[in-house]
Structures are given as structure tokens and as C-alpha cells.
Amino acid sequence: KEITEAPIIIIGSGYGGAVSALRLCEAGKKVIMLEMGLNWEKSGIPYSNLLKPGKSAAWLRKKTIAPFMNLFSLTPFTGILDRLEFDHINIWVGRGVGGGSLVNGGMAVTPKESYFKEIFPNLDTEKFYNHYFPLVREELKVNIIDEQFLKDCPYYKFTRVGEEEAHKAGFKTMRVPNVYDFKYMEKEFRNEVPRSALNTEVIYGNNHGKNSLDKTYLKKAMETGNLEILDLHKVEHIKLNDDKSYTLNAQQIDTSGNIIADKVFHCKKLILAAGTMGTLQLLLQSNAVNDFPIHENIGKNWGNNGNFMTGRNWVKPLSGGTGTKQSTIPVGGIDNWEDTEHPFFTEIAPLPMGMDVATALYLLINRVDKKGEVTYDKANRILKLNWDESNTVKMRENAKYFVRKMNQANGGTRSHLLFNNGFGADICYHPLGGCVLGEATNEFGKLKDHDNLYVLDGSLIPGTIGVNPFVTITAIAEYCIENLIKQSEFA
Ligand code: FAD
């Protein structure tokens, strides 16, 4: 087989991969990035919206895989949203050049300083809040909705009702920044540009408005001329060679998922940025297949970032519910983190179903009291996740407390329309950990027991960060790659 040689290879093009690529390319390094998903921008294939999903909506499935309301039959295609199924939890991830940034809600939340300090006691908190977080907010083009627009726009009735109800129930709300360009959204509303957020586009991709990584970090990295991205290339496993370099076996697939070439790559330096589950899969599978050395902490200290969905039915039915028209971009949150008995943060989430279902949707983010562990089942060649209802006991208690308090103040019932018993304990958008900074790696993401292998993605965060995670993932990646370059790791 032909072997492609590269000094540095990055696997995965999400936040960690994009940051590493940009900083290495700026430092004059040639980088090859392997991404299993499609280069959407280059392909010119449009994304679909929530109400009329096409084949681009799901990764090689016959049916869409949104958390609820999946009715459509599709032609299997290397679509944008994937779901990894485990015994007690399902994990959603983005596929394509840009990773999770293509499918996520764009909520760009900086963690609370005190919690960041608690989770990362060895990091220089001051430097993060004065330097890395402001830097990534700028690079990611984070902005905030105009209050007057929010007040006037019918597409944000769900936020206004949600905030009003929260206040009535005695909760504190907060404005949530986003990478979606709110000036573009205002133009959408005035019908001056094609609609995206106001046309139910989000988890199957946004055709306009959203500053996903392909429009920020990756675009800048490409402009250096030092980055080559190979899409539809899935790395299967990695081998450590005697000279401490790495050999990668990858499959190039077509958009129907058929293998069109088995490829071999060889590199001196390897960065794993395949997302928490992708990186763990590569490490654990390579260990099983190739005796790839892995440190005992790999797979440990995993968490769902306290993700716990819930909903309420009949939210103000007499006053017209939460609105027929809803923007897909959340801008409101309820901050109950300081409550020592029930600490949580929740997004006031949109539910744009094209009709008023008089339902409010919330994605709670809780502390993770009991962490899980990711292992590998050699016989069946699959990842295993040691995680069940015992891991989410406190999250459920918080959700119950929240819904009860909201209903007492405003009326309504727990939503059985959306979930069994009104709770979606098994829905996870924020898998974190398993390759924790300082535990499975050194202080800058270099894997223990290896000389030329680095992990730079969500798996570095020990299972919880208290808010939506991509701002933190990006900041940690900036911090790590800056120091790795300074230490001449890529010289
Ligand atoms: P990812 O962004 O997951 O990127 C990993 C990439 O590696 C992917 O493109 C994947 O295809 C590729 N890959 C994996 N395995 C291989 C392989 N073997 N070979 C080649 N390529 C591979 N977070 C927020 O902060 N705010 C939000 O509003 C928000 N909303 C979300 C909504 C949804 C529906 C989802 C699913 C997530 C949301 N998140 C949100 C979470 C956020 O998107 C993730 O935390 C983030 O994308 C993780 O970044 P990462 O760099 O770890 O990896």
C-alpha cells in the first residue's frame, strides 16, 4: 500500500483540531488533517432544516436522529448529525469539516471562574480569564443579541415567556452569547437575506449566519497555505513504531459510506482531536488491535457534563404558548448554580416544530457527582460506557425541583409529549473527559507513556464544566498548543 508521509497529522476537525491546525500552520508547520465527515463547504451540498430533513441530516441512516420527532426516511448518506448509542445514554456528535460546530446551537458560554478553578486547580485561572477566554471569544466571533430585537421579534417569544416564567418562579436568568451572527439574523427577519436560524436550521447545519469553525479557525488555517484537509477519511487504528513515530490505517469512503480506498499514513507527530468519544475509540481500539500502549487513566473520569433534558407542557396556553415561529438559536439561560442544594444551569431551548406545541424545552447542565468510565469490548469491537441511572440521580432531582417550581408559579405539567416521564436523562450533547489533562496527559495534553502523541479536544475536561463546553474546549486547546509549540514539541 502507498504510504502518505506527513510531519504532523491531526485527526478530527472540531474545536481542538481547528485550534491546533491554526497555531501550528501559523508557526510554519505543514499539517495534514484527517476528517471522517464531509467537507460541506467544498461539496456545495446544502444543509436541511428541522422540518424538512433531507439525506444530509444524518450520518448513514435511513431515518433522522433528532432527540425527538423523527419521521422521515432517508437515503443513507454521510450526513451531518450522528448518534452514538450506549446502554443507558445516547451521545450526539457532528460529522464534517468543523465537527460539532456544524450542528451545535452556537451557545458560547464562558464557565464560572470559581467552577473552572475547582475543575482545573492547576491552571492559571487569571491567565485564562484575562487572555485565553477573550482570545477564543474573538476568534470564534462570539456576539450578543440586541435586547430591543429580542423584545420585538416574534421568533423569540419562547425566550421572553421562558424568562418571565423563570422570574415568577424566583429564578435568575442570564443572556447567553452565541457565534450566530445576530446582525445577520436581524436582516433575516427583515427579509433582506436568506433565512437560516429563522428557517428552523440548526442541528442539521446552518446554511447562513452561523460562524462555525470552517468560517473561523479552519478558514484562517487554510489561508496560511500549510494545511491540507482530507475529508471522508476515517482513521481506524494507530500503531506505534520502534522509532516512536506513528502509522495510521484509514479508510476513504464515498458519500454512501462505501470504502473506496484503504490508506496508510505515517507521521512523526500525531494530534488526536476526534472529539471525546472519537479519541477514546481510537486509543482503546488501537490498544486492542495493535497493543498500542495506553496509560491506565485513559477512559476514566468521563462525564455527560450533567446534561439532563426536561420540558413542560401547556406553557401559557391561553396567551398563545411559546410561539409558532421560533428562532433555533438560544439566547436565554436560567442560572441556579449558586444554589448549594440544587445547583444547575439551564438553557431556555427553542422547539421550532412549525406549530405551537405549547411546550417549553430545557437542557439542564448539572454537576457530575459520579463519573463514568469508557472501556473497550474486544470481542464485539465496540466502545462500552460504564454509565447508568445511578450517575444521574442528582440531575434528576434538580430537574424535578426546577419543573415543580416553574409549574407551581406558572401552571403546566412535566412534558410527556417529549420524554417518557418528562425526563430525558439519556440525551447527551456534551461528552467530556476520559483523557483528562494532567491525569492521562501531561499539563499540556501530551499523552503519558508517549513521546509524540497529543490529545487536544473535549476529552481533556474531566466530565463537567458547568456550562456549554466549546468555549472551554477551545481555550484549553489554545493554552496547550501554545505551550507545546513553546516547548519545541513540533520543532
Ligand atoms: P468535535 O467537535 O466533536 O470534533 C471531532 C471531529 O473528529 C468530528 O468532526 C468527527 O467527525 C471527527 N472524527 C471522529 N473520529 C474520527 C476518526 N476516527 N477519523 C477521522 N475523523 C474523526 N456546545 C456548546 O458549547 N454550545 C452549544 O450550543 C452546543 N450545542 C450542541 C448541540 C448539539 C446538537 C451537539 C451535538 C453538541 C452541542 N454542543 C454545544 C457541544 C459541542 O459541539 C462539543 O462539545 C464540541 O464540538 C466538541 O469539540 P471537540 O473538539 O472535542 O470535538
Side-chain angles (χ1 to χ4, degrees), residues 10-18 34-37 59 67 81-82 91-109 178 202-203 213 230 233-237 250 273-279 281-282 330 347 363 428-432 456-459 467-474:
I10 299 175
I11 305 176
S13 63
Y15 294 91
L34 302 175
E35 166 57 54
M36 67 190 271
W59 179 259
L81 188 65
D82 199 1
I91 299 173
W92 277 262
V93 294
R95 296 271 177 245
V97 173
S101 79
L102 302 170
V103 299
N104 69 34
M107 294 172 72
V109 195
N178 204 288
V202 67
I203 60 171
L213 290 167
L230 301 177
H233 278 66
K234 179 168 194 255
V235 179
E236 289 296 311
H237 43 81
T276 297
M277 304 317 289
T279 288
Q281 166 110 24
L282 281 168
E347 153 188 355
L363 171 57
C428 176
Y429 285 173
H430 303 163
L432 297 173
L456 291 172
D457 61 20
S459 64
V467 290
N468 313 62
F470 75 61
V471 167
T472 309
I473 296 171
T474 313

Coordinates of all heavy atoms in Angstrom, one line a residue, residues 10-18 34-37 59 67 81-82 91-109 178 202-203 213 230 233-237 250 273-279 281-282 330 347 363 428-432 456-459 467-474, ligand 1:
I10 N -3.3 15.7 12.2 CA -4.3 15.9 13.2 C -5.5 15.1 12.8 O -6.0 15.1 11.7 CB -4.7 17.4 13.2 CG1 -3.5 18.3 13.6 CG2 -5.9 17.6 14.2 CD1 -3.8 19.8 13.6
I11 N -6.1 14.3 13.7 CA -7.3 13.5 13.4 C -8.5 14.3 14.0 O -8.6 14.4 15.3 CB -7.2 12.1 14.0 CG1 -6.0 11.4 13.5 CG2 -8.5 11.3 13.6 CD1 -5.8 10.0 14.1
G12 N -9.4 14.7 13.2 CA -10.6 15.4 13.6 C -10.5 16.9 13.4 O -9.4 17.5 13.6
S13 N -11.6 17.6 13.0 CA -11.6 19.0 12.7 C -12.6 19.8 13.5 O -13.1 20.8 13.0 CB -11.9 19.1 11.2 OG -13.2 18.6 10.9
G14 N -12.8 19.3 14.7 CA -13.7 20.1 15.6 C -12.8 21.2 16.3 O -11.8 21.7 15.7
Y15 N -13.2 21.6 17.5 CA -12.6 22.8 18.1 C -11.1 22.5 18.4 O -10.3 23.4 18.1 CB -13.3 23.1 19.4 CG -14.7 23.6 19.1 CD1 -15.8 22.8 19.1 CD2 -14.9 25.0 18.8 CE1 -17.1 23.2 18.7 CE2 -16.2 25.5 18.5 CZ -17.3 24.6 18.4 OH -18.5 25.0 18.1
G16 N -10.8 21.4 19.0 CA -9.4 21.1 19.4 C -8.5 21.0 18.1 O -7.4 21.6 18.1
G17 N -9.1 20.3 17.1 CA -8.3 20.1 15.9 C -8.1 21.5 15.2 O -7.0 21.7 14.7
A18 N -9.1 22.3 15.1 CA -9.0 23.6 14.4 C -8.0 24.5 15.0 O -7.3 25.2 14.3 CB -10.4 24.2 14.3
L34 N -7.1 14.8 9.0 CA -8.0 13.7 8.5 C -9.3 13.8 9.2 O -9.4 13.8 10.4 CB -7.4 12.3 8.8 CG -6.0 12.1 8.2 CD1 -5.4 10.7 8.7 CD2 -6.0 12.2 6.7
E35 N -10.4 13.9 8.4 CA -11.7 14.1 9.0 C -12.7 13.1 8.3 O -12.7 13.0 7.1 CB -12.2 15.5 8.7 CG -13.7 15.8 8.9 CD -14.2 15.4 10.3 OE1 -13.7 15.9 11.3 OE2 -15.2 14.6 10.4
M36 N -13.4 12.3 9.1 CA -14.3 11.3 8.6 C -15.5 11.9 7.9 O -16.0 11.2 7.0 CB -14.7 10.3 9.6 CG -15.6 10.8 10.7 SD -15.7 9.6 12.1 CE -17.1 8.6 11.5
G37 N -15.9 13.0 8.3 CA -17.1 13.6 7.7 C -16.8 14.4 6.4 O -15.6 14.5 6.0
W59 N -26.0 10.8 9.7 CA -24.8 10.0 9.3 C -25.2 8.6 9.0 O -25.5 7.8 9.8 CB -23.8 10.1 10.4 CG -22.5 9.3 10.1 CD1 -22.2 8.0 10.6 CD2 -21.4 9.7 9.3 NE1 -21.0 7.6 10.1 CE2 -20.4 8.6 9.3 CE3 -21.1 10.8 8.5 CZ2 -19.2 8.7 8.6 CZ3 -19.9 10.9 7.8 CH2 -19.0 9.8 7.9
P67 N -33.3 14.3 18.8 CA -33.8 13.7 20.0 C -35.2 13.4 20.0 O -35.7 12.4 20.7 CB -33.4 14.8 21.1 CG -32.4 15.6 20.4 CD -32.6 15.6 19.0
L81 N -25.3 14.8 11.2 CA -25.5 14.6 12.7 C -25.4 13.0 12.9 O -26.0 12.3 12.1 CB -26.9 15.1 13.1 CG -27.2 15.0 14.6 CD1 -26.3 15.9 15.4 CD2 -28.7 15.4 14.8
D82 N -24.7 12.7 13.9 CA -24.5 11.3 14.2 C -24.9 11.0 15.7 O -24.9 12.0 16.5 CB -23.1 10.8 14.0 CG -22.9 9.3 13.9 OD1 -23.9 8.6 13.9 OD2 -21.8 8.9 13.7
I91 N -25.3 9.6 22.6 CA -24.5 10.8 22.5 C -24.5 11.3 21.1 O -24.2 10.6 20.1 CB -23.0 10.4 22.9 CG1 -23.0 10.0 24.4 CG2 -22.1 11.6 22.7 CD1 -21.7 9.4 24.8
W92 N -24.9 12.6 20.9 CA -24.9 13.2 19.6 C -23.6 13.9 19.3 O -23.0 14.6 20.1 CB -26.1 14.2 19.5 CG -27.4 13.6 19.2 CD1 -28.0 13.4 18.0 CD2 -28.3 12.9 20.2 NE1 -29.2 12.8 18.2 CE2 -29.4 12.5 19.5 CE3 -28.2 12.7 21.6 CZ2 -30.5 11.8 20.1 CZ3 -29.3 12.0 22.2 CH2 -30.4 11.6 21.5
V93 N -23.2 13.7 18.0 CA -21.9 14.4 17.6 C -22.1 14.9 16.1 O -22.9 14.4 15.4 CB -20.7 13.5 17.6 CG1 -20.4 13.1 19.1 CG2 -20.9 12.2 16.8
G94 N -21.3 15.9 15.8 CA -21.3 16.5 14.4 C -20.3 15.7 13.5 O -19.3 15.3 14.0
R95 N -20.6 15.6 12.3 CA -19.7 15.0 11.3 C -19.5 15.9 10.1 O -20.5 16.4 9.5 CB -20.3 13.7 10.7 CG -20.5 12.6 11.8 CD -19.3 11.7 11.9 NE -19.5 10.8 12.9 CZ -18.8 10.7 14.1 NH1 -17.9 11.6 14.3 NH2 -19.1 9.8 15.0
G96 N -18.3 16.2 9.9 CA -17.9 17.1 8.8 C -16.8 18.0 9.1 O -16.3 18.0 10.3
V97 N -16.2 18.7 8.2 CA -15.1 19.6 8.4 C -15.7 20.8 9.3 O -16.4 21.6 8.8 CB -14.5 20.1 7.1 CG1 -13.4 21.2 7.4 CG2 -13.8 18.9 6.4
G98 N -15.3 20.8 10.6 CA -15.9 21.7 11.5 C -16.4 21.0 12.7 O -16.8 21.6 13.7
G99 N -16.6 19.7 12.6 CA -17.1 18.8 13.8 C -18.3 19.4 14.4 O -19.3 19.7 13.7
G100 N -18.4 19.4 15.7 CA -19.6 19.8 16.4 C -20.0 21.2 16.1 O -21.2 21.5 16.3
S101 N -19.1 22.1 15.6 CA -19.5 23.5 15.4 C -20.6 23.5 14.3 O -21.3 24.5 14.2 CB -18.3 24.3 15.0 OG -17.9 24.1 13.7
L102 N -20.7 22.5 13.5 CA -21.6 22.5 12.4 C -23.1 22.2 12.8 O -24.0 22.7 12.2 CB -21.3 21.4 11.3 CG -19.9 21.5 10.7 CD1 -19.6 20.3 9.9 CD2 -19.8 22.7 9.8
V103 N -23.2 21.5 13.9 CA -24.5 21.1 14.4 C -25.0 21.7 15.7 O -26.1 21.6 16.1 CB -24.6 19.5 14.6 CG1 -24.3 18.8 13.3 CG2 -23.7 19.0 15.7
N104 N -24.1 22.4 16.4 CA -24.4 22.8 17.7 C -25.2 24.1 17.7 O -25.4 24.8 16.7 CB -23.2 22.9 18.7 CG -22.2 23.9 18.3 OD1 -22.6 25.0 17.8 ND2 -21.0 23.6 18.6
G105 N -25.8 24.5 18.9 CA -26.6 25.7 19.0 C -25.8 26.9 19.1 O -26.4 28.0 19.2
G106 N -24.5 26.8 19.0 CA -23.7 28.0 19.0 C -23.5 28.8 20.3 O -22.9 29.9 20.4
M107 N -24.1 28.2 21.4 CA -24.1 28.9 22.7 C -22.6 29.0 23.2 O -22.0 28.0 23.4 CB -24.9 28.2 23.7 CG -26.4 28.2 23.4 SD -27.4 27.2 24.5 CE -27.3 28.1 26.0
A108 N -22.1 30.2 23.3 CA -20.7 30.4 23.6 C -20.6 30.9 25.0 O -20.5 32.1 25.3 CB -20.1 31.4 22.6
V109 N -20.5 30.0 26.0 CA -20.6 30.4 27.4 C -19.2 30.2 28.0 O -18.7 29.1 28.0 CB -21.7 29.6 28.1 CG1 -22.0 30.2 29.5 CG2 -22.9 29.4 27.3
N178 N -23.5 34.0 21.6 CA -23.6 32.9 20.6 C -22.6 33.3 19.5 O -22.2 34.4 19.3 CB -25.0 32.8 20.1 CG -25.4 31.5 19.5 OD1 -24.9 31.1 18.4 ND2 -26.2 30.7 20.2
V202 N -30.5 24.3 12.3 CA -29.5 24.3 13.4 C -28.8 22.9 13.5 O -27.7 22.8 13.1 CB -30.0 24.8 14.7 CG1 -31.1 23.9 15.4 CG2 -28.9 24.9 15.7
I203 N -29.5 21.9 14.0 CA -28.8 20.6 14.3 C -28.5 19.8 13.0 O -27.7 18.9 13.1 CB -29.5 19.7 15.3 CG1 -30.9 19.3 14.9 CG2 -29.5 20.3 16.7 CD1 -31.5 18.2 15.8
L213 N -16.7 26.6 12.7 CA -15.2 26.6 12.6 C -14.6 26.7 11.1 O -13.6 27.3 10.9 CB -14.6 25.3 13.2 CG -14.8 25.2 14.7 CD1 -14.5 23.8 15.2 CD2 -13.8 26.2 15.4
L230 N -8.1 16.3 4.5 CA -8.7 15.2 3.7 C -10.0 14.8 4.4 O -10.0 14.3 5.5 CB -7.7 14.1 3.7 CG -6.3 14.4 3.1 CD1 -5.4 13.1 3.2 CD2 -6.4 14.8 1.6
H233 N -12.2 10.7 5.3 CA -11.1 9.8 5.7 C -11.3 9.4 7.2 O -11.1 10.3 8.1 CB -9.8 10.5 5.5 CG -9.3 10.5 4.1 ND1 -9.9 11.1 3.1 CD2 -8.2 9.9 3.6 CE1 -9.2 10.9 2.0 NE2 -8.2 10.2 2.2
K234 N -11.6 8.2 7.4 CA -11.8 7.7 8.8 C -10.7 6.9 9.3 O -10.3 5.9 8.7 CB -13.1 6.9 8.9 CG -13.4 6.4 10.3 CD -14.8 5.8 10.4 CE -15.1 5.6 11.9 NZ -15.1 4.3 12.4
V235 N -10.0 7.4 10.3 CA -8.9 6.6 10.9 C -9.4 5.4 11.7 O -10.3 5.6 12.5 CB -8.0 7.5 11.7 CG1 -6.8 6.7 12.3 CG2 -7.5 8.7 10.9
E236 N -8.9 4.3 11.4 CA -9.4 3.0 12.1 C -8.6 2.7 13.3 O -9.1 2.5 14.4 CB -9.4 1.9 11.1 CG -10.5 2.0 10.0 CD -11.9 1.9 10.6 OE1 -12.1 1.0 11.4 OE2 -12.7 2.8 10.3
H237 N -7.3 2.7 13.1 CA -6.4 2.5 14.3 C -5.0 3.0 14.0 O -4.6 3.3 12.9 CB -6.4 1.0 14.8 CG -6.3 0.0 13.7 ND1 -5.2 -0.3 13.1 CD2 -7.3 -0.7 13.1 CE1 -5.4 -1.3 12.2 NE2 -6.7 -1.5 12.2
A250 N -6.3 4.1 7.6 CA -7.6 4.9 7.4 C -8.3 4.4 6.2 O -7.8 3.7 5.3 CB -7.2 6.4 7.2
A273 N -7.8 14.7 17.9 CA -8.8 15.7 18.2 C -10.1 15.2 17.6 O -10.8 16.0 17.0 CB -8.3 17.1 17.6
A274 N -10.4 14.0 17.8 CA -11.5 13.3 17.2 C -12.8 13.5 18.1 O -13.8 12.8 17.9 CB -11.2 11.9 16.9
G275 N -12.7 14.4 19.1 CA -13.8 14.6 20.0 C -13.7 13.5 21.1 O -13.0 12.5 20.9
T276 N -14.4 13.7 22.2 CA -14.2 12.8 23.4 C -14.4 11.4 23.0 O -13.5 10.5 23.2 CB -15.2 13.2 24.4 OG1 -14.9 14.6 24.9 CG2 -15.2 12.3 25.6
M277 N -15.5 11.0 22.3 CA -15.7 9.6 22.0 C -14.9 9.1 20.9 O -14.4 8.0 20.9 CB -17.2 9.4 21.7 CG -18.2 9.9 22.7 SD -17.8 9.5 24.4 CE -18.0 7.8 24.5
G278 N -14.6 10.0 19.9 CA -13.7 9.5 18.8 C -12.3 9.3 19.2 O -11.7 8.3 18.8
T279 N -11.8 10.1 20.1 CA -10.4 10.0 20.6 C -10.3 8.7 21.4 O -9.4 8.0 21.3 CB -10.0 11.3 21.3 OG1 -9.8 12.3 20.4 CG2 -8.7 11.1 22.1
Q281 N -12.2 6.1 21.3 CA -12.4 5.0 20.5 C -11.0 4.6 19.8 O -10.6 3.5 19.8 CB -13.4 5.3 19.4 CG -13.4 4.3 18.2 CD -14.7 3.4 18.2 OE1 -15.7 3.8 18.8 NE2 -14.6 2.3 17.6
L282 N -10.3 5.7 19.3 CA -9.1 5.4 18.6 C -8.0 4.8 19.5 O -7.3 3.9 19.2 CB -8.5 6.7 18.0 CG -9.2 7.1 16.7 CD1 -8.8 8.6 16.3 CD2 -8.8 6.2 15.5
P330 N -30.6 29.7 20.8 CA -31.0 30.0 22.1 C -30.2 31.2 22.6 O -29.0 31.4 22.3 CB -30.6 28.8 22.9 CG -30.0 27.8 22.0 CD -29.8 28.5 20.7
E347 N -30.5 26.0 29.7 CA -30.8 26.8 28.5 C -32.3 26.8 28.3 O -33.0 25.8 28.5 CB -30.1 26.0 27.4 CG -30.6 26.2 26.0 CD -30.0 25.2 25.0 OE1 -29.0 24.5 25.4 OE2 -30.4 25.2 23.9
L363 N -32.5 22.3 28.5 CA -31.4 21.4 28.6 C -30.6 21.8 29.9 O -29.9 22.9 29.9 CB -30.5 21.5 27.4 CG -29.1 20.7 27.5 CD1 -29.3 19.3 27.9 CD2 -28.3 20.9 26.2
C428 N -27.3 13.1 25.6 CA -26.1 13.8 25.9 C -25.5 14.5 24.6 O -25.3 13.9 23.6 CB -25.1 12.8 26.4 SG -23.4 13.6 26.7
Y429 N -25.3 15.8 24.8 CA -24.7 16.6 23.7 C -23.3 17.0 24.1 O -22.5 17.5 23.2 CB -25.4 18.0 23.5 CG -26.8 17.9 22.8 CD1 -27.6 19.0 22.7 CD2 -27.2 16.7 22.2 CE1 -28.8 19.0 22.0 CE2 -28.4 16.7 21.5 CZ -29.2 17.8 21.5 OH -30.4 17.8 20.8
H430 N -22.9 16.8 25.3 CA -21.6 17.3 25.8 C -20.7 16.2 26.5 O -20.4 16.3 27.6 CB -21.8 18.4 26.9 CG -22.7 19.5 26.5 ND1 -23.2 20.4 27.4 CD2 -23.0 20.0 25.2 CE1 -23.9 21.3 26.7 NE2 -23.8 21.1 25.4
P431 N -20.4 15.2 25.7 CA -19.5 14.2 26.3 C -18.1 14.8 26.6 O -17.6 15.5 25.8 CB -19.4 13.1 25.2 CG -19.6 13.8 24.0 CD -20.6 14.9 24.3
L432 N -17.6 14.6 27.8 CA -16.3 15.2 28.2 C -15.5 14.2 29.0 O -16.1 13.4 29.8 CB -16.6 16.5 29.1 CG -17.3 17.6 28.5 CD1 -17.6 18.7 29.5 CD2 -16.5 18.3 27.3
L456 N -6.0 16.9 22.0 CA -6.5 18.2 22.2 C -8.0 18.3 21.8 O -8.3 18.7 20.7 CB -5.7 19.2 21.3 CG -4.2 19.3 21.7 CD1 -3.4 20.1 20.7 CD2 -4.1 20.1 23.1
D457 N -8.8 17.9 22.7 CA -10.3 18.0 22.4 C -11.0 17.9 23.8 O -10.4 18.0 24.8 CB -10.7 17.0 21.4 CG -10.5 15.6 21.9 OD1 -10.4 15.3 23.1 OD2 -10.5 14.7 21.0
G458 N -12.3 17.7 23.7 CA -13.2 17.7 24.9 C -12.8 16.6 25.9 O -13.2 16.7 27.1
S459 N -12.0 15.6 25.5 CA -11.7 14.5 26.4 C -10.7 15.0 27.5 O -10.5 14.3 28.5 CB -11.1 13.3 25.7 OG -9.9 13.7 25.0
V467 N -21.2 24.6 32.1 CA -21.9 25.4 31.1 C -21.6 24.6 29.8 O -20.8 23.7 29.7 CB -21.4 26.8 30.9 CG1 -21.8 27.7 32.1 CG2 -19.9 26.9 30.7
N468 N -22.2 25.1 28.7 CA -22.0 24.5 27.3 C -20.5 24.6 27.1 O -19.8 25.6 27.4 CB -22.7 25.3 26.3 CG -24.2 25.5 26.7 OD1 -24.4 26.2 27.7 ND2 -25.1 25.0 26.0
P469 N -19.9 23.5 26.6 CA -18.4 23.4 26.7 C -17.5 23.9 25.6 O -16.3 24.0 25.8 CB -18.2 21.9 26.8 CG -19.3 21.3 25.9 CD -20.5 22.3 26.1
F470 N -18.0 24.4 24.4 CA -17.0 24.6 23.4 C -16.0 25.8 23.6 O -14.9 25.8 23.2 CB -17.6 24.6 22.0 CG -18.4 25.8 21.5 CD1 -17.8 27.0 21.4 CD2 -19.7 25.6 21.1 CE1 -18.6 28.1 21.0 CE2 -20.4 26.7 20.6 CZ -19.9 27.9 20.6
V471 N -16.5 26.8 24.4 CA -15.6 27.9 24.7 C -14.4 27.4 25.5 O -13.2 27.7 25.3 CB -16.3 29.1 25.4 CG1 -15.3 30.1 26.0 CG2 -17.2 29.8 24.4
T472 N -14.7 26.5 26.5 CA -13.7 26.0 27.3 C -12.7 25.0 26.5 O -11.5 25.1 26.7 CB -14.3 25.2 28.5 OG1 -15.2 26.0 29.1 CG2 -13.2 24.8 29.5
I473 N -13.3 24.2 25.7 CA -12.5 23.3 24.9 C -11.5 24.1 24.0 O -10.3 23.8 23.9 CB -13.4 22.4 24.0 CG1 -14.3 21.5 24.8 CG2 -12.5 21.5 23.0 CD1 -15.4 20.7 24.0
T474 N -12.0 25.1 23.4 CA -11.2 26.0 22.6 C -10.1 26.6 23.4 O -8.9 26.7 22.9 CB -12.1 27.0 21.8 OG1 -13.2 26.4 21.3 CG2 -11.3 27.7 20.7
Ligands
FAD1 P1 -15.8 17.6 17.8 O1 -16.3 18.9 17.6 O2 -16.8 16.5 18.1 O3 -14.9 17.2 16.6 C1 -14.4 15.9 16.4 C2 -14.2 15.6 14.9 O4 -13.5 14.4 14.7 C3 -15.6 15.4 14.2 O5 -15.7 16.2 13.0 C4 -15.5 13.9 13.8 O6 -16.2 13.6 12.6 C5 -14.1 13.6 13.7 N1 -13.7 12.2 13.9 C6 -14.0 11.4 14.9 N2 -13.5 10.2 14.8 C7 -12.7 10.2 13.7 C8 -11.9 9.3 13.0 N3 -11.7 8.0 13.5 N4 -11.3 9.6 11.9 C9 -11.4 10.9 11.4 N5 -12.2 11.8 12.0 C10 -12.8 11.5 13.1 N6 -21.5 23.2 22.9 C11 -21.6 24.5 23.2 O7 -20.6 25.0 23.8 N7 -22.7 25.2 22.9 C12 -23.7 24.7 22.3 O8 -24.7 25.5 22.0 C13 -23.7 23.3 21.9 N8 -24.8 22.8 21.3 C14 -24.7 21.5 20.9 C15 -25.8 20.9 20.2 C16 -25.7 19.6 19.6 C17 -26.8 19.1 18.9 C18 -24.5 18.9 19.8 C19 -24.3 17.5 19.3 C20 -23.4 19.4 20.6 C21 -23.6 20.7 21.1 N9 -22.5 21.3 21.8 C22 -22.6 22.6 22.2 C23 -21.3 20.5 22.1 C24 -20.1 20.9 21.3 O9 -20.4 20.9 19.9 C25 -19.0 19.9 21.5 O10 -18.6 19.9 22.9 C26 -17.7 20.1 20.7 O11 -18.0 20.1 19.3 C27 -16.6 19.2 21.0 O12 -15.4 19.6 20.4 P2 -14.2 18.6 20.1 O13 -13.1 19.4 19.5 O14 -14.0 17.8 21.3 O15 -14.7 17.6 19.0

